[in-house]
Amino acid sequence: GAVVSQHPSRVICKSGTSVKIECRSLDFQATTMFWYRQFPKKSLMLMATSNEGSKATYEQGVEKDKFLINHASLTLSTLTVTSAHPEDSSFYICSAQGTTTTNEKLFFGSGTQLSVL
Amino acid sequence: GQSLEQPSEVTAVEGAIVQINCTYQTSGFYGLSWYQQHDGGAPTFLSYNALDGLEETGRFSSFLSRSDSYGYLLLQELQMKDSASYFCAVRDRSGGFKTIFGAGTRLFVKA
């Protein structure tokens, strides 16, 4: 099956620093990737849709200058949390959508637990 | 916008059958998916319904009624390892295709 690799799995940083999270589709080309945020025992909240070669589409209430998304190739999307603050602490998880008939299925990375001190 | 409702928690015993319901509201409905997530893990795809009816995949089945904006996930022959959170998710085509998740149902399977 399709594999999505997400790094790092866990990061602890000081308030005010920026953190980059990478999401790679390992064995397929992902024209579209999605970034979600999840609080403990809560749902996955869609933050943005990342399309290869174009600007990301952010959901209402998500600050685009705070959460920078780049999708430079068909296999890599990055999320940078800029000037992180404790309230940004959360589980961030990416997913990729296939380009074939299985494009209704999302393949998820293993997630990144961000802790901002 | 979109909204989905599903029960927050369900408890069942090993070997039993459990049904997790999901109702949704969205203007650009395209399909309904179900995902399983164990604590600390990534969601994994279980099933997808775009048309009315029942889809069966092993012990798991999923049903959709588009006219009722309703679906359910049926888990049979429950095993302890099925204890997890189950999310229904709508694939929505308004504003570009995206998948919006419900709040999740935590399933506890007891011996």
Side-chain angles (χ1 to χ4, degrees), chain B residues 44-105:
Chain B
T44 55
F45 174 85
L46 293 177
S47 69
Y48 176 76
N49 296 69
L51 302 175
D52 287 356
L54 190 69
E55 293 283 340
E56 298 181 72
T57 309
R59 294 188 297 116
F60 296 170
S61 303
S62 59
F63 172 83
L64 175 67
S65 169
R66 294 175 68 119
S67 60
D68 295 322
S69 298
Y70 163 76
Y72 67 72
L73 178 69
L74 192 72
L75 297 86
Q76 303 183 71
E77 299 172 22
L78 281 175
Q79 302 173 11
M80 298 294 286
K81 67 177 182 179
D82 296 330
S83 293
S85 290
Y86 293 83
F87 295 91
C88 61
V90 292
R91 188 148 188 255
D92 188 278
R93 59 185 165 204
S94 52
F97 282 97
K98 54 190 176 184
T99 301
I100 305 299
F101 285 76
T105 298

Side-chain angles (χ1 to χ4, degrees), chain A residues 19-73:
Chain A
V19 174
K20 180 185 280 190
I21 302 169
E22 289 191 351
C23 181
R24 293 179 184 273
S25 57
L26 297 186
D27 52 358
F28 69 105
Q29 293 182 330
T31 54
T32 304
M33 290 187 175
F34 302 92
W35 287 94
Y36 290 87
R37 182 175 181 176
Q38 187 177 33
F39 292 101
K41 299 182 181 179
K42 296 294 184 183
S43 185
L44 293 93
M45 183 191 79
L46 180 64
M47 299 175 66
T49 302
S50 170
N51 295 299
E52 186 266 335
S54 64
K55 290 184 178 180
T57 303
Y58 289 81
E59 293 300 303
Q60 193 172 6
V62 178
E63 299 175 61
K64 56 183 69 175
D65 294 331
K66 173 78 170 171
F67 300 99
L68 300 179
I69 291 172
N70 183 274
H71 195 150
S73 76

Side-chain angles (χ1 to χ4, degrees), chain B residues 14-51:
Chain B
E14 243 184 329
I17 299 173
V18 73
Q19 179 174 312
I20 300 174
N21 298 318
C22 174
T23 57
Y24 60 85
Q25 286 187 337
T26 180
S27 56
F29 179 83
Y30 198 75
L32 186 71
S33 301
W34 290 91
Y35 288 81
Q36 178 192 62
Q37 185 182 31
H38 287 96
D39 284 347
T44 55
F45 174 85
L46 293 177
S47 69
Y48 176 76
N49 296 69
L51 302 175

